């Protein structure tokens, strides 16, 4: 199970590398729900996340996420103290903090240009992240850190990027047209119409001749006479006198 989990992480990570240009060190934004779950299962995030990802990472948070944990009271003091150990990334809510989920979503504007990972246990935030292309999601399942499979939106966006890159641009189409007009002779540029499949040749198909009734009667009569002529004569045994 552990080996399979690591293989899935490598495969999902390569998807973000190849399609969205994610590079190490990976920047991981963490909220209080994630640190609270890590505290319950006694997971050392600074050790386990780099080990799971397999490359260098930067564990980050925001002032909004820290202030949210402070407002929740002393019950979450341990999770808040873990969160304060991470480097704080500046957000757009300086002096007017908002909820952690709203703040982390705002960090992914313009297609997640800074290539952030989001580590959270908030189900509402997770559902919103699945609608954002190029938004890797980390969560804790029991005592294991898991990188979620790329969302359908991320996969569709990556496929459209590949198709757009393969298709020639308008400038390339114009240059190809000019080169054809310049180098190809006029005879080769003429497009011939495709030949449609023709029907059978009427001369090669012979019509069946109709038999007249007289011929049928004559044939049947001749055949009957022949059959009568074929009757065998009985042999008379020779006398022994």
């Amino acid at each position: 199970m552990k080996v399979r989990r690591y293989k899935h992480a490598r495969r999902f990570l390569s998807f973000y590398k190849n399609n969205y240009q994610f590079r190490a060190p990976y920047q991981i934004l963490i909220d209080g729900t994630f640190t609270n779950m890590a505290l319950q299962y006694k997971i050392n995030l600074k050790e386990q996340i780099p080990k799971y990802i397999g490359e260098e990472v930067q564990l980050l948070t925001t002032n909004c996420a820290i202030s949210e944990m402070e407002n929740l009271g002393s019950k979450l003091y341990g999770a808040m103290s873990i969160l304060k150990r991470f480097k704080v990334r500046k957000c757009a809510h300086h002096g007017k903090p908002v909820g952690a989920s709203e703040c982390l979503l705002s960090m992914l504007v313009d297609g997640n240009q800074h290539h952030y990972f989001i580590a959270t246990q908030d189900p509402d935030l997770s559902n919103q992240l699945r609608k954002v292309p190029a938004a890797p999601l980390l969560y804790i399942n029991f005592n294991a850190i898991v990188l979620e499979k790329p969302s359908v939106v991320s996969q569709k966006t990556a496929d459209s990027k590949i198709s757009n890159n393969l298709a020639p641009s308008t400038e390339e189409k114009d240059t190809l047209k000019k080169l054809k007009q310049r180098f190809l002779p006029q005879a080769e540029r003429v497009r011939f119409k495709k030949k449609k499949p023709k029907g059978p040749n009427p001369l090669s198909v012979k019509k069946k001749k109709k038999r007249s009734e007289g011929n049928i009667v004559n044939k049947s009569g001749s055949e009957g006479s022949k059959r009568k002529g074929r009757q065998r004569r009985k042999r008379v045994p020779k006398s022994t006198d």
Side-chain angles (χ1 to χ4, degrees):
M1 188 68 182
K2 186 177 180 181
V3 175
R4 187 184 299 176
R5 186 168 58 89
Y6 277 83
K7 284 183 178 179
H8 288 173
R10 300 291 184 275
R11 189 176 66 191
F12 300 155
L13 193 61
S14 63
F15 170 83
Y16 291 110
K17 282 182 179 180
N18 298 329
N19 295 290
Y20 296 104
Q21 289 73 49
F22 277 68
R23 294 291 180 268
Y26 300 108
Q27 302 182 90
I28 301 175
L29 287 170
I30 302 173
D31 68 355
T33 61
F34 193 80
T35 56
N36 185 41
M37 186 66 71
L39 184 63
Q40 289 180 18
Y41 287 102
K42 300 179 180 180
I43 299 172
N44 189 333
L45 296 178
K46 287 188 175 180
E47 291 180 0
Q48 295 300 319
I49 291 180
K51 184 180 178 181
Y52 175 65
I53 297 296
E55 296 185 56
E56 186 181 356
V57 300
Q58 290 181 354
L59 304 184
L60 311 170
T61 189
T62 63
N63 283 319
C64 294
I66 293 172
S67 62
E68 182 182 68
M69 295 298 290
E70 289 175 346
N71 294 332
L72 290 174
S74 59
K75 290 182 179 180
L76 298 174
Y77 177 80
M80 181 192 64
S81 61
I82 295 172
L83 196 64
K84 284 184 176 180
R85 296 175 188 174
F86 306 142
K87 187 177 179 180
V88 176
R89 184 67 77 205
K90 289 183 180 180
C91 62
H93 314 107
H94 182 69
K96 295 180 180 179
V98 296
S101 59
E102 183 181 349
C103 180
L104 295 183
L105 277 174
S106 68
M107 301 293 282
L108 305 181
V109 293
D110 300 328
N112 195 9
Q113 293 181 354
H114 298 286
H115 302 139
Y116 290 121
F117 287 65
I118 303 296
T120 183
Q121 298 295 122
D122 187 349
D124 294 333
L125 176 57
S126 299
N127 290 330
Q128 289 177 323
L129 289 172
R130 293 183 186 104
K131 300 175 184 178
V132 179
L137 174 62
L138 284 165
Y139 63 91
I140 296 173
N141 186 21
F142 294 104
N143 61 344
I145 299 169
V146 179
L147 175 61
E148 188 174 85
K149 181 181 178 180
S151 64
V152 176
V153 176
S154 296
Q155 292 178 5
K156 286 183 177 180
T157 307
D159 292 339
S160 63
K161 281 185 177 181
I162 292 170
S163 61
N164 291 333
N165 291 334
L166 293 175
S169 62
T170 52
E171 295 179 358
E172 291 174 345
K173 288 180 181 178
D174 293 337
T175 52
L176 286 171
K177 190 175 180 181
K178 290 178 182 177
L179 289 171
K180 284 181 180 179
Q181 293 175 354
R182 184 176 177 183
F183 293 105
L184 288 178
Q186 187 69 24
E188 292 185 8
R189 280 187 270 126
V190 176
R191 294 183 178 180
F192 295 96
K193 293 183 179 180
K194 291 183 178 180
K195 293 183 179 180
K196 296 181 179 179
K198 296 181 179 180
N201 189 352
L203 298 176
S204 64
V205 179
K206 293 183 179 180
K207 296 181 179 179
K208 293 182 178 180
K209 294 181 179 180
K210 294 182 179 180
R211 295 181 180 180
S212 60
E213 294 179 358
N215 293 336
I216 295 169
V217 172
N218 292 334
K219 285 184 179 180
S220 61
S222 61
E223 287 178 0
S225 61
K226 285 180 183 179
R227 287 178 182 175
K228 287 180 181 179
R230 289 179 183 175
Q231 291 179 356
R232 294 181 181 180
R233 294 179 181 179
K234 294 182 180 181
R235 292 182 181 180
V236 179
K238 294 179 180 182
S239 60
T240 55
D241 293 342

